[in-house]
Amino acid sequence: MVNSRALVVLALLLHSLVALVSAKGSNSTSKWQTLSGDAPLVIARGGFSGLFPGFSSAAYSLALATSVPDVVLWCDVQLTKDGDGICFPDLVLNNNSDIQDVFAKKDKTYLVNGVSTSGWFTVDYTFSDLANVVVTQGIYSRTNKFDGNLYPILTVEGVAMQFKPQGLWLNVQHDIFFTQHNLSMRNYVLSVSRKVVVNYISSPEVAFLNGIKARVSPSATKLVFRFLGQDDTEPSTKQTYGSLLKNLTYIKTFASGILIPKTYIWPVTKDLYLEPHTSIVLDAHKAGLTVFASDFVNDVPLAYNYSYDPVSEYLNFVDNGDFSVDGVLSDFPITPSAAIDCFAHLGNNASGQARPLVISKYGASGDFPSCTDLAYSKAIADGVDVLDCPVQISKDGIPFCSSSINLIDSTAVAQSSFSNLTTVIPEIKAGSGIYTFSLTWEEIKSLTPIISNPWSRYTLFRSPRTKTVGKYLTLSDFLTLAQKSSSLSGVLIGVEYAAYLAEEQRLSVTDKVIAALSKAGFDNQTALDVKIQSSNSSVLMKFKEKTKYELVYSIEENIGDALSSTIEDIKKFAGSVVINKASILPETQAFVTGVTDVVPKLQAAKLAVYVELFSNEFVSQAWDFFSDPTVEINSFVSGFNIDGVITDYPKTAARYKRNRCLSEKELPNYMSPIQAASLIQVVSADYLPPAEAPNPPLTASDVIEPPLPSVESALAPGPTGSSTVGHPPPPNRQPKIAAGFFLSTLAMLFATLFLL
């Protein structure tokens, strides 16, 4: 029944991963604050249900292939009409399978814990009836592209015998419901425990656990009481779970551990910020109970304290200095595997590898408004290597750091008294804007900065409590801040729109930058490297003529190749390049579709390669990276040996460089780069996204430009008295010509003669 092509490709995908190591990494001997002192367990809910349909063969296989060796496979046990036990997330089948298509209009309504519930229930079908029903993705924000692979519903015995996990966890959520339908979950669980090894049995029903405690061996099978919402009522005692939580001594009489929602441990405010942790873990450990935390997923908004970084969340539960939970229940088991084995107990002084450079994108702009003092200070505290300042220039000629020349993009200027300064400048952008050169520096300083929200279309927003804090810095103040830092290795100064500013505003941003760097002493110091970045070769040529700084060429277009002749042209004015992630791993509908040779070509020409943009929000990553920014960073760094990562969340990238697994001779599965385009091969033909044309190669016409005009030459009128800047520019902003340096110089000479 299963799509044979999908199984073959999936097997190849799993085989391509690094072989399972026989023991955990160096962290396995560390002292943990768990009840036993051992590392916390990773429990995979339905396998790797964050990607594949939960409780499917693919989900269980991927969990085993990408997690710690002792990962525990979780199975929600449901009973069929004939008493077979299946692994399925709910007793209602229609949300995670296609049963409504196989048995149309066969839904029924039953009371479940007193609540009227409608759907297709497991108790109305024998296991044979379910032979033609396939498992599908039940969480609609996740990809449905694997629903065509016809994954069958699995029995408990099938999961145990097919995958042979080191740990198997059975969760019994609705014993009372099955009893009402003349099915004995107690008898089934005891029977299956004699056939296969069951390491953990959990239930939110006290009576069920009490009913089996005398029939299971406590050394072989641990009983765990599962807590639901604190105001929910436990059906057999009629007490709320909140009241039962206050009587851990009673829980200890029938269970060896508790499974609680993570908010029981770290409560969250209504606006998604952490409150101080409770004492529940310490109290449970004092009572001799292990504590397992649930509800860990990578693809929902986390508390803002974690900056959308799921590894940070796990570390807060296992390595906070006060306690550690004994295990975590996750839909994405690769993430807690790496958190526990690679990142826990690092300490603040753990040394990291030199490469890649961690380069900020407007400071820590994922946490604070871009290019503000607070964004820069946090980036430094988070361990950034290179601090960036995209230079804009005010009406009175003051260079300062701002993410955009259009103040509407980063400030509340449109709601200020300067809203009447809106103008249309097609040379810069389509539509209207309020530009930095229309306001003085004193006026710009008075504006309220606004945090960027690049993923607001997915209703994902950045920290609301810090969305309007901080102040902007002049370039001089920025350089002073960088010089005071003992951890930075360099600064990156971005220069754009230089030609327009010179020709139309009579402002030389290049001269301002050179003067500020010289005044700050960067001409003669060696403590901090200076990188000048621009998407315009003419800007970099001017800096090459007047300075000795590292020059970085930004290729804004997604490219599929770089011609050798074009690379040689780039080397004439730059020693490094910035490219987009899609120029290395192109995507279609968030699936990686292939790999280019752009990086090896550029590096073979002795050009350093910096890649952007690495963000923590899960929607910024292809499905291949499992909604985990660390997996994405690792895949680009380990897979392609890039020289630098450009990120708006420097803490995640800086921590990655320090992880202990990178020093191991053999990388564990969860620290191995993805195999490019392997995931899309698992998608069945009828679910494949449409093929897209490959990205074009980078050619000389994309790179070569006329020399940058000086402010003095811009004072002379053109042939018609109008600007020499033409129509809206291509992606690299300044109009380009497909000519060599000699031809462009000749063209400028001809224009000068014409004016005479």
Side-chain angles (χ1 to χ4, degrees), residues 201 209 374 473:
I201 299 174
L209 294 176
L374 296 178
L473 302 178

Side-chain angles (χ1 to χ4, degrees), residues 40-47 63 67-68 70-75 167-169 200 259 291-294 296 314 326-333 336-337 340:
L41 286 175
V42 174
I43 308 153
R45 192 189 72 86
S67 307
V68 288
D70 61 352
V71 62
V72 177
L73 297 187
W74 168 283
C75 166
L168 179 63
W169 187 308
Y200 297 88
L259 173 64
V291 180
F292 303 97
S294 65
F296 287 94
Y314 285 108
D326 300 276
V328 291
L329 177 61
S330 175
D331 288 15
F332 295 83
S337 296
I340 291 168

